Amino acid sequence: MTVMETTAETGTSTRSDTCAAPTEERRRRPDGQDNYTISEVVAFTGLSAHTLRWYERIGLMPHIDRSHTGQRRYSNRDLDWLGLVGKLRLTGMPVADMVRYAELVREGDHTYIERYELLEATRRDVKARIAELQDTLAVLDRKINFYADAGRALASERSR
């Protein structure tokens, strides 16, 4: 999905892709709420507060709002972004590449090609890992079938 957004720093409108959170994750959020404490985000995402602070420090989530007392306040958009970051982590994408992707998103539309290339390279890596896992699964299946057949043969011999 693509939306128009206005950046706070420049005041310019840009087209950007949004990070749609999985339906299950959206259901866990209170209806109408768009302001969460770090402990609520920990509960929603399963990430630790330490990880959330680290993401902010390294530039993966650099613009977290703060309350008047300085406490972090996360929005639904932040939760959506964390959902995407979680998926990128599952791909095995290096943290440096995730940070680079975040920087590219913040830089605007002129980075679409670089973002595409980064995600496409990650996709190729994921597909290669899937193929490796499928080969590994085939080996396991052969071994399991061997032992199942051997077990049946032993049981048959014992019952004679």
Side-chain angles (χ1 to χ4, degrees):
M1 173 189 277
T2 303
V3 295
M4 292 296 291
E5 67 180 30
T6 303
T7 59
E9 295 87 17
T10 64
T12 60
S13 292
T14 60
R15 226 173 57 136
S16 68
D17 57 346
T18 59
C19 311
T23 307
E24 176 186 317
E25 187 176 309
R26 283 192 179 277
R27 266 188 260 130
R28 292 186 304 198
R29 300 179 194 170
D31 286 339
Q33 186 171 336
D34 191 26
N35 188 355
Y36 307 94
T37 64
I38 198 166
S39 60
E40 289 173 316
V41 174
V42 165
F44 292 149
T45 64
L47 297 170
S48 69
H50 173 78
T51 298
L52 292 168
R53 289 186 205 101
W54 180 65
Y55 282 178
E56 192 174 351
R57 262 194 325 275
I58 65 171
L60 201 49
M61 295 197 65
H63 299 295
I64 302 301
D65 288 337
R66 301 283 181 142
S67 70
H68 68 283
T69 60
Q71 294 179 319
R72 289 171 178 83
R73 292 290 185 238
Y74 295 84
S75 68
N76 285 320
R77 185 178 173 105
D78 296 328
L79 294 179
D80 290 347
W81 177 258
L82 285 170
L84 174 64
V85 167
K87 296 298 183 194
L88 294 177
R89 284 178 55 218
L90 287 173
T91 70
M93 179 186 270
V95 172
D97 286 351
M98 287 189 275
V99 171
R100 179 65 185 140
Y101 180 78
E103 290 167 351
L104 292 169
V105 169
R106 286 191 297 274
E107 288 176 23
D109 292 353
H110 68 281
T111 66
Y112 277 2
I113 292 171
E114 197 172 347
R115 285 187 251 173
Y116 169 86
E117 290 168 350
L118 184 59
L119 294 176
E120 187 62 34
T122 301
R123 184 177 191 273
R124 283 191 302 273
D125 292 344
V126 168
K127 290 186 87 161
R129 283 193 16 241
I130 289 170
E132 252 180 343
L133 287 171
Q134 286 173 329
D135 288 345
T136 302
L137 184 59
V139 170
L140 287 173
D141 287 344
R142 283 193 301 274
K143 285 297 199 183
I144 289 167
N145 289 334
F146 171 81
Y147 290 118
D149 292 345
R152 282 191 293 275
L154 284 174
S156 175
E157 284 180 25
R158 288 185 186 140
S159 66
R160 289 184 190 169

